[in-house]
Amino acid sequence: MMETQAYIEEMTNRYVYAVIRRLPAAQKADIEKELRGLIEDMLAARFSEPGREDIDAVLSELGKPAALAAKYGDAKNWLIGPGYYDVYLMLLKIVLAVVAFGVTVAQAIGFFVDPPAGVFPALGRYFSSVFPALFGAFSGLTIVMAAAERINLPPVAGQGLGKGPWRPADLPPVPAGAAVIKRGEPIASLVFAVLALVVFNFAPWLLGAYALDGSGNIIPIFDPGVYQGVLPLINIAIGVGMIKEIIRLLAGRYTLPLAFGIAAVNAVTLILVLFVFTTPELWSREFFDMLRAVRVDLPAGLDLPGLLAIIGKVVMVFFVIGIVADTATAFYKAIRYGGRGTLDDIAAEVKRAAQEQKPSEEKR
């Protein structure tokens, strides 16, 4: 009898420890007490004099310690959960298809300009570009969606994706037509962003002009050395813009939190783009020389680099206007058409907090 009781205690201790070791420190004491009581109650309810096989049966019924710990801790045992998986799968198919298409077109143009020595070198050149591009696209999208899963993005609050128990009152109101973000809009922006990433990273030679001396060479518009130095900033700018479109897609409607998020992302993108493309050293001198060589009726004293710099500034002005317009549109639609998802929600929350505080003050 003593040996049996010692076995029951030993197995209970082992099981309880295997569960609570996976839990936060603040939960361990309470859950240990609760779990020990549960095991004792299950044994007492089923067996008048529990034996070795009885404690084994009870612990088997409780299941694997890791699974039980996950239930107690409300842990997310997935990288991308059901709330985001459908969007993730849709975007993954689109992004991988666009990357494969973009790399294939770029490599085809490259084979035309610089023909490979044979079939195997051509295949090697192609696969050495397409596989890293596909892996990078898959990794980047997965990281972004996993981060969205972990931090519970504010724009999707009320859709059953937040922390804590879900309530019907958490359901957001049906947005007005103008507040709805049609899926095609952010998806189209994502497609162009992915194509830009492919070009900047795997076919930068496309950003240039064909030499007119019959050699078939392409004169890059960017200085190769400076370009490689600013390429990470270009990737960050494009990546941040892609994150913005993913958030817009997940939100599905314009709200003030989304508008503030778009404003923050646009500010980061604007700073990076202005820093990169207003760098004078970025533009290739060889490209300027080629333009000088082919001009026909331009004034003899024309400062071509200066003219191109002005053109670049004009392009940057239009880019700034586009960024400002995108931000203003998000705020306008959130405030004008967002309804209870924006200003009314804030007012209702303030009113509710005041009503909860009033009874406590009356009790005093």
Side-chain angles (χ1 to χ4, degrees), residues 195-221:
L195 288 175
L197 278 177
V198 170
V199 171
F200 278 108
N201 288 273
F202 298 98
W205 42 268
L206 291 177
L207 305 173
Y210 286 96
L212 301 178
D213 55 5
S215 63
N217 295 328
I218 295 180
I219 309 299
I221 192 173

Side-chain angles (χ1 to χ4, degrees), residues 76 78-81 83-85 87-88 91 140-157 161-163 243 246-248 250-251:
K76 292 180 177 178
W78 53 68
L79 182 63
I80 299 172
Y84 292 90
Y85 185 74
V87 176
Y88 167 72
L91 290 179
L141 181 61
T142 302
I143 290 172
V144 170
M145 297 300 293
E149 176 73 43
R150 294 304 179 271
I151 65 178
N152 296 291
L153 291 173
V156 295
L161 307 178
K163 298 178 180 178
I243 292 174
I246 290 174
I247 294 175
R248 205 194 300 256
L250 290 174

Side-chain angles (χ1 to χ4, degrees), residues 71-318:
K71 294 179 181 178
Y72 274 116
D74 193 25
K76 292 180 177 178
N77 295 319
W78 53 68
L79 182 63
I80 299 172
Y84 292 90
Y85 185 74
D86 58 336
V87 176
Y88 167 72
L89 195 60
M90 176 189 66
L91 290 179
L92 187 62
K93 293 177 181 178
I94 294 173
V95 168
L96 292 183
V98 172
V99 168
F101 173 77
V103 173
T104 300
V105 172
Q107 289 297 314
I109 297 175
F111 293 158
F112 177 77
V113 175
D114 181 20
V119 175
F120 290 107
L123 292 176
R125 201 160 87 182
Y126 173 74
F127 287 116
S128 64
S129 295
V130 72
F131 282 147
L134 291 174
F135 180 76
F138 169 77
S139 302
L141 181 61
T142 302
I143 290 172
V144 170
M145 297 300 293
E149 176 73 43
R150 294 304 179 271
I151 65 178
N152 296 291
L153 291 173
V156 295
Q159 299 181 23
L161 307 178
K163 298 178 180 178
W166 177 82
R167 304 167 302 170
D170 293 331
L171 285 169
V174 178
V180 176
I181 301 175
K182 297 179 180 179
R183 282 193 166 191
E185 297 173 4
I187 288 176
S189 298
L190 280 170
V191 168
F192 284 109
V194 171
L195 288 175
L197 278 177
V198 170
V199 171
F200 278 108
N201 288 273
F202 298 98
W205 42 268
L206 291 177
L207 305 173
Y210 286 96
L212 301 178
D213 55 5
S215 63
N217 295 328
I218 295 180
I219 309 299
I221 192 173
F222 300 129
D223 181 90
V226 179
Y227 175 77
Q228 289 301 319
V230 300
L231 182 58
L233 296 179
I234 296 175
N235 288 334
I236 292 174
I238 298 175
V240 168
M242 293 175 65
I243 292 174
K244 177 187 71 174
E245 297 305 329
I246 290 174
I247 294 175
R248 205 194 300 256
L249 180 63
L250 290 174
R253 61 194 288 261
Y254 284 105
T255 62
L256 276 181
L258 177 63
F260 279 111
I262 290 175
V265 171
N266 283 344
V268 173
T269 303
L270 181 60
I271 292 172
L272 291 172
V273 169
L274 290 178
F275 177 80
V276 170
F277 291 101
T278 57
T279 303
E281 295 80 9
L282 178 64
W283 308 100
S284 171
R285 305 303 304 180
E286 186 179 3
F287 181 75
F288 291 148
D289 293 340
M290 188 194 74
L291 291 179
R292 284 195 186 94
V294 300
R295 65 184 183 180
V296 179
D297 54 353
L298 298 177
L302 178 65
D303 180 14
L304 190 55
L307 177 61
L308 292 178
I310 294 174
I311 296 175
K313 291 179 180 178
V314 172
V315 173
M316 286 296 101
V317 167
F318 281 105

